[in-house]
Amino acid sequence: MKLSKNNYGTENCYLSNSCLKEWLPAIEVNKKIYEVKKGEVIFEEGDLVEGMYFVYEGNIKVHKKWGDKELILRIASDESILGHRGLSTTNNKYPISATALEDAVICYISMDFFNSTLKVNPGFSYKILMFFADELQESERKMRNIAHMSVKGRLSRSLLFFKDQFGVHEDGTLKIKLSKQDISSYIGATYETLFRIMNELIEDKAISVTKRAIVILNPDKLLEFSKKEE
Amino acid sequence: MKLSKNNYGTENCYLSNSCLKEWLPAIEVNKKIYEVKKGEVIFEEGDLVEGMYFVYEGNIKVHKKWGDKELILRIASDESILGHRGLSTTNNKYPISATALEDAVICYISMDFFNSTLKVNPGFSYKILMFFADELQESERKMRNIAHMSVKGRLSRSLLFFKDQFGVHEDGTLKIKLSKQDISSYIGATYETLFRIMNELIEDKAISVTKRAIVILNPDKLLEFSKKEE
DNA sequence: CGTGCGCTTGAATGAGCTCAATGCCGGTGG
DNA sequence: CCACCGGCATTGAGCTCATTCAAGCGCACG
């Protein structure tokens, strides 16, 4: 189970493996495997929802557009469900887009099959429900952060989250590879603002950057900046 | 079914009645009815989640605090589910608070009972799942709005939503009674800002206010202000 | 008749955005 | 091998929207 819980709040973007690992291999006929290239769009806002995806490998950003701006809502990675935001009783169009941040492997299951599994398998259904509940909690925490926290606070928090969620290499750099563009969209700020605030964090010796890779030097300091949280 | 769909996006804070109406009356033993007074706190952030609520009558605000500020996430009204945000595999504390906006009647069901119903009743479970999916969509739309829209846009959009969701009296005033404080918390702005922007809308002849009651005069104008949406 | 709370308004401040200019680096084709 | 190009990084300046602080006002209520 890849769940994270710590003193700056719980962020859980994974459907617990115990659920997927049991379920996915059991499907033979109804799943399709796709390889997608970095930057490739898996689906877009407005596309018809016809199935559900699971990520086998790689990171996929889930984002929402507003004119020429975007907001990244979530980063789906290994063994995570994707496209569940298309579920709805009132609308069968995706409210969001999904784009590969790097080369990735995903698995596709038709909505019919997914739905019928939901209906006949209460255990699975329950797991998915809990997943949604966790996603909703996270979404609302993030909303409050955007509404009330400073960019510095949001960035600090997100960096801690990235470290926690995706881990670090031996040299201390974050495993997740995000462009500054993406980070700024993730925290809901402009590119330039992100840049300046990131410099502040470097001056504060909270992080360092070499060759576009970010190292968390002082988590406590980041935590400090994202205080009042919970 | 109280669902709304229109050209400024779907906002659905209701669990479709077809689900609740069938389910709730069937419970005899396990539910308790409470009457709550205006301003009464039903549960707070950090409280232990021990059950699930449904609203029979009245409006309840679901909100999240950040220091001395708050953000209203949702307004639960007649026949709506409440407290489902407490569902989680990783945490059994409420991430949000619920406070009655007016005198209300709510129904309480123990979590054990709710959970076992979920597990044995796939139809119910599926409905709840769809409800969560809709809530998640709405949450993320709202997040993007807070991230990218102006206060005027957010206010315009929220007013249209209130009209759509709660309806209007014969004299044109919104049925939902919200203090300016609450509206500002709902749109994620300060009281003073809300005040000024509301005056702008009045000058624009988009709304009018008499005795603290709001009248939507020109929905098209409000729609205009909340453009770029979807 | 005070006291307090919510409403109203002004002024100052500031965080973050926009726009624009420049620098840097890696790829690419001549 | 070099010149050029395009895209990203970097930085400054100015501005705008919204917040903050502060101060009066009106009304309900004990």
Side-chain angles (χ1 to χ4, degrees):
Chain A
M1 289 254 286
K2 193 157 183 182
L3 298 174
S4 63
K5 181 159 169 54
N6 47 45
N7 57 350
Y8 57 91
T10 306
E11 301 214 41
N12 170 27
C13 287
Y14 289 89
L15 178 62
S16 73
N17 293 350
S18 58
C19 164
L20 268 185
K21 282 226 172 114
E22 282 163 19
W23 191 65
L24 277 183
I27 309 167
E28 293 297 330
V29 198
N30 294 283
K31 68 180 175 187
K32 291 184 209 161
I33 309 288
Y34 292 111
E35 296 185 8
V36 293
K37 290 274 167 216
K38 176 175 178 173
E40 196 172 320
V41 174
I42 298 163
F43 52 80
E44 267 187 301
E45 281 151 281
D47 283 359
L48 226 54
V49 179
E50 291 172 313
M52 186 69 66
Y53 297 87
F54 297 88
V55 183
Y56 276 160
E57 262 183 65
N59 292 308
I60 316 276
K61 72 174 173 182
V62 176
H63 52 120
K64 208 170 169 75
K65 292 173 186 134
W66 170 263
D68 57 350
K69 291 172 188 163
E70 70 159 6
L71 182 67
I72 296 182
L73 299 166
R74 162 178 178 252
I75 294 163
S77 49
D78 309 2
E79 289 169 347
S80 181
I81 190 172
L82 176 71
H84 57 289
R85 280 161 173 80
L87 285 175
S88 169
T89 48
T90 51
N91 200 328
N92 63 341
K93 305 259 181 70
Y94 281 109
I96 42 93
S97 306
T99 307
L101 287 171
E102 54 205 66
D103 292 358
V105 181
I106 57 176
C107 159
Y108 174 85
I109 289 155
S110 82
M111 197 48 93
D112 281 350
F113 185 74
F114 183 78
N115 268 327
S116 52
T117 305
L118 276 184
K119 279 172 184 158
V120 300
N121 187 337
F124 181 67
S125 187
Y126 186 77
K127 288 263 171 65
I128 298 278
L129 185 59
M130 287 304 137
F131 173 64
F132 265 98
D134 287 336
E135 287 258 297
L136 187 58
Q137 282 199 19
E138 184 45 33
S139 169
E140 295 184 335
R141 196 196 331 271
K142 190 165 174 174
M143 175 152 52
R144 185 210 40 195
N145 292 348
I146 289 181
H148 291 319
M149 278 176 70
S150 67
V151 170
K152 193 165 187 176
R154 300 204 300 271
L155 176 57
S156 301
R157 188 173 192 289
S158 297
L159 290 174
L160 287 172
F161 169 59
F162 292 149
K163 183 186 169 210
D164 197 50
Q165 178 89 351
F166 304 102
V168 293
H169 293 114
E170 326 74 56
D171 62 355
T173 57
L174 288 178
K175 275 190 182 160
I176 177 93
K177 232 190 134 194
L178 286 169
S179 70
K180 282 209 177 69
Q181 275 298 351
D182 283 330
I183 298 179
S184 65
S185 295
Y186 188 85
I187 64 173
T190 58
Y191 182 89
E192 293 93 328
T193 301
L194 170 79
F195 182 83
R196 290 175 230 262
I197 302 294
M198 221 154 152
N199 280 344
E200 281 187 32
L201 289 184
I202 293 170
E203 279 174 33
D204 293 336
K205 305 236 187 291
I207 63 170
S208 71
V209 178
T210 36
K211 292 180 182 237
R212 295 186 196 176
I214 299 174
V215 182
I216 310 284
L217 294 178
N218 191 339
D220 294 338
K221 224 157 195 173
L222 293 180
L223 195 52
E224 184 63 33
F225 293 138
S226 53
K227 261 296 160 51
K228 240 195 278 187
E229 173 75 37
E230 248 71 29
Chain B
M1 288 256 284
K2 193 156 184 184
L3 299 175
S4 64
K5 180 158 170 52
N6 47 46
N7 56 352
Y8 57 93
T10 307
E11 301 213 41
N12 170 26
C13 287
Y14 288 90
L15 177 62
S16 73
N17 292 349
S18 59
C19 164
L20 268 184
K21 281 223 171 118
E22 282 162 19
W23 191 66
L24 277 182
I27 310 167
E28 293 296 330
V29 199
N30 293 284
K31 69 182 175 186
K32 292 185 207 161
I33 309 288
Y34 292 111
E35 296 186 8
V36 293
K37 290 276 169 213
K38 176 175 176 171
E40 197 172 319
V41 174
I42 297 163
F43 52 80
E44 267 187 301
E45 280 152 280
D47 284 0
L48 225 54
V49 179
E50 291 172 313
M52 186 68 65
Y53 297 88
F54 296 87
V55 182
Y56 276 161
E57 263 184 63
N59 293 308
I60 316 276
K61 70 174 173 182
V62 176
H63 51 120
K64 207 169 170 74
K65 291 172 188 135
W66 169 261
D68 57 350
K69 290 172 188 163
E70 69 158 6
L71 181 68
I72 296 181
L73 299 167
R74 164 179 178 251
I75 295 163
S77 50
D78 311 3
E79 288 168 350
S80 180
I81 191 172
L82 176 72
H84 57 289
R85 279 160 172 80
L87 285 175
S88 170
T89 48
T90 51
N91 200 327
N92 63 341
K93 305 258 180 72
Y94 281 110
I96 42 92
S97 306
T99 307
L101 287 171
E102 54 204 67
D103 293 356
V105 180
I106 57 175
C107 160
Y108 173 85
I109 288 154
S110 82
M111 197 49 91
D112 281 350
F113 185 73
F114 183 77
N115 268 328
S116 50
T117 305
L118 276 183
K119 279 172 184 158
V120 300
N121 187 338
F124 181 68
S125 187
Y126 186 77
K127 288 264 172 65
I128 297 277
L129 185 58
M130 287 304 136
F131 173 64
F132 264 99
D134 287 336
E135 287 258 298
L136 187 58
Q137 283 200 18
E138 185 44 33
S139 169
E140 294 183 336
R141 194 194 334 269
K142 191 165 174 174
M143 176 153 49
R144 185 210 42 193
N145 291 349
I146 290 181
H148 291 320
M149 279 175 71
S150 68
V151 171
K152 193 165 185 176
R154 300 202 303 269
L155 176 57
S156 299
R157 189 172 193 288
S158 296
L159 290 174
L160 287 172
F161 169 59
F162 292 150
K163 183 186 169 210
D164 196 51
Q165 178 89 350
F166 304 103
V168 292
H169 294 113
E170 325 75 57
D171 61 356
T173 57
L174 287 179
K175 276 191 182 160
I176 177 92
K177 233 190 133 193
L178 286 171
S179 70
K180 283 212 176 67
Q181 273 299 351
D182 283 330
I183 298 178
S184 64
S185 296
Y186 188 85
I187 64 174
T190 58
Y191 184 90
E192 292 93 328
T193 301
L194 169 79
F195 183 83
R196 290 176 232 262
I197 302 294
M198 221 154 155
N199 280 345
E200 279 186 34
L201 289 185
I202 293 170
E203 278 175 35
D204 293 336
K205 306 239 188 287
I207 63 169
S208 71
V209 178
T210 36
K211 290 180 183 237
R212 297 188 193 174
I214 299 173
V215 182
I216 310 283
L217 295 179
N218 191 340
D220 294 338
K221 223 158 195 172
L222 293 180
L223 193 53
E224 184 62 33
F225 294 138
S226 53
K227 261 296 159 53
K228 237 193 284 186
E229 173 76 39
E230 247 74 27

